[in-house]
Amino acid sequence: MKISDIKTLLDAEVVCGEENLGHDVYSACGSDMMSDVLAYVKDQAVLLTGLVNSQVIRTAEMMDMVCIVFVRSKKPTPEMIELAKESGLVLMNTEKRMYEACGLLYKSGLVGNGVRHE
Amino acid sequence: MRPAVCFIKADSSETGSDMSDSVKFRFDVDGSNFTTAGQASVQVKKNLRELGIPAEAIRRVSIAMYEGEINMVIHAHGGVAEVEVFEDKIVIVLSDTGPGIPNIELAMKEGYSTAPDNIRSLGFGAGMGLPNMKRYTDGMKIDTELGKGTTITMVVNF
Ligand SMILES: Nc1ncnc2c1ncn2[C@@H]1O[C@H](COP(=O)(O)OP(=O)(O)OP(=O)(O)O)[C@@H](O)[C@H]1O
Ligand SMILES: [Mg+2]
């Protein structure tokens, strides 16, 4: 699906990265622990999280992710938005909670594939 | 605040290597500020892209260095990060003057962490960093002395 489909499915508000909404994405992950994202995620392009701090943006950038969805209407800080813009990341927020947001995306074909292959 | 960045065109005498040249980046990692932790890794990622390093190598360096940089901030009051790019490998050296690691074998275990709860509420402290650094690199060495500090050297070949 396209990043713009995520926006539609989650009824989300785009905070920045509008110009990259046309990117194709195939898998996603949801976590509030950046430690786990760094250790277990592989090739997922989208991160759903309820955590709001600059490390969320840097973690996504280190992992070559392209989009972060903040659940439960969490709003990124101006500093985070600045960091995201520098690396072309799409940030959006949705009123939906983590479980529902992940479920909606999964049901529409955005898979997890998050298992680490040793 | 921006990290101190300097590009040094190192010659063989400086690096003690027989490579004709390498490019070296050096950063001061501020240990008092969790918000800025990771700045050096972000900058290194940009620099490596500019140098045209293969994407997979950049990703491995990025993840390993970022984990190490965060460790320097949450466990060791910051320090210095140096990255040297050779023709076929990247060497990352992270040095801090923190408390040292009492038991390296234990620290390398997945899930072992001494991070306090406030660090966990910031999204870190699962005890996954050091094992992840080892997994993403082709070589990793930990030199540590209690009360003196820790130096971690990692190599990524490409
Ligand atoms: N530079 C360091 N100085 C002192 N102790 C360290 C340093 N790096 C790691 N440690 C110790 O080793 C433990 C394991 O480190 P590791 O990076 O694997 O996990 P963590 O940092 O606690 O959590 P995570 O990396 O998952 O966020 C730490 O909890 C800490 O006790
Ligand atoms: Mg760690």
Side-chain angles (χ1 to χ4, degrees):
Chain A
M1 69 175 68
K2 301 225 182 285
I3 297 180
S4 56
D5 297 324
I6 296 177
K7 171 183 153 58
T8 311
L9 284 162
L10 301 183
D11 197 12
E13 183 190 337
V14 175
V15 179
C16 69
E18 207 67 66
E19 67 281 7
N20 292 325
L21 288 182
H23 277 203
D24 282 307
V25 290
Y26 303 95
S27 63
C29 67
S31 181
D32 289 352
M33 274 306 269
M34 295 306 108
S35 296
D36 288 340
V37 173
L38 287 158
Y40 293 107
V41 171
K42 202 175 188 297
D43 298 329
Q44 278 78 338
V46 183
L47 170 65
L48 290 92
T49 188
L51 184 70
V52 179
N53 65 43
S54 299
Q55 302 313 337
V56 176
I57 311 290
R58 294 200 185 96
T59 298
E61 179 166 6
M62 292 304 110
M63 305 292 294
D64 296 321
M65 293 174 148
V66 295
C67 173
I68 304 173
V69 180
F70 295 95
V71 296
R72 284 173 288 157
S73 303
K74 300 266 169 98
K75 294 240 180 353
T77 64
E79 194 186 10
M80 290 165 66
I81 297 171
E82 210 39 58
L83 279 175
K85 281 182 176 165
E86 278 173 33
S87 49
L89 272 165
V90 179
L91 301 189
M92 54 176 95
N93 64 68
T94 174
E95 280 179 16
K96 303 200 188 313
R97 292 173 176 215
M98 179 73 98
Y99 182 75
E100 191 186 356
C102 291
L104 284 167
L105 297 181
Y106 196 95
K107 201 173 69 176
S108 303
L110 198 64
V111 294
N113 267 343
V115 182
R116 199 171 75 211
H117 303 287
E118 297 284 351
Chain B
M1 207 186 60
R2 288 264 139 218
V5 186
C6 58
F7 294 73
I8 304 164
K9 196 81 173 152
D11 63 30
S12 47
S13 62
E14 269 177 78
T15 61
S17 142
D18 54 6
M19 287 285 176
S20 56
D21 22 47
S22 66
V23 185
K24 199 165 179 174
F25 313 117
R26 185 181 188 279
F27 304 85
D28 289 322
V29 177
D30 180 359
S32 63
N33 192 342
F34 177 79
T35 305
T36 57
Q39 278 187 339
S41 303
V42 170
Q43 188 60 47
V44 162
K45 183 156 197 165
K46 289 193 178 123
N47 295 353
L48 295 180
R49 277 203 191 114
E50 274 168 28
L51 289 170
I53 307 296
E56 189 51 32
I58 296 181
R59 179 185 163 107
R60 292 167 63 209
V61 168
S62 301
I63 296 172
M65 178 172 172
Y66 181 64
E67 293 271 22
E69 190 181 351
I70 297 280
N71 277 356
M72 287 169 90
V73 175
I74 65 181
H75 305 299
H77 335 292
V80 173
E82 285 181 309
V83 178
E84 190 162 5
V85 185
F86 295 90
E87 210 177 324
D88 56 357
K89 69 175 180 205
I90 294 165
V91 179
I92 308 154
V93 182
L94 306 173
S95 325
D96 66 59
T97 49
I101 303 176
N103 184 336
I104 293 179
E105 203 187 324
L106 194 58
M108 286 300 300
K109 282 218 168 79
E110 288 195 359
Y112 176 83
S113 174
T114 60
D117 283 346
N118 72 308
I119 293 298
R120 254 178 284 276
S121 70
L122 292 167
F124 289 87
M128 297 303 296
L130 287 173
N132 209 28
M133 287 154 73
K134 187 171 167 69
R135 185 163 56 235
Y136 274 106
T137 54
D138 295 303
M140 174 165 143
K141 181 158 86 70
I142 303 177
D143 294 305
T144 188
E145 196 177 331
L146 287 186
K148 288 261 170 67
T150 302
T151 296
I152 299 187
T153 307
M154 295 178 285
V155 181
V156 169
N157 299 322
F158 61 89

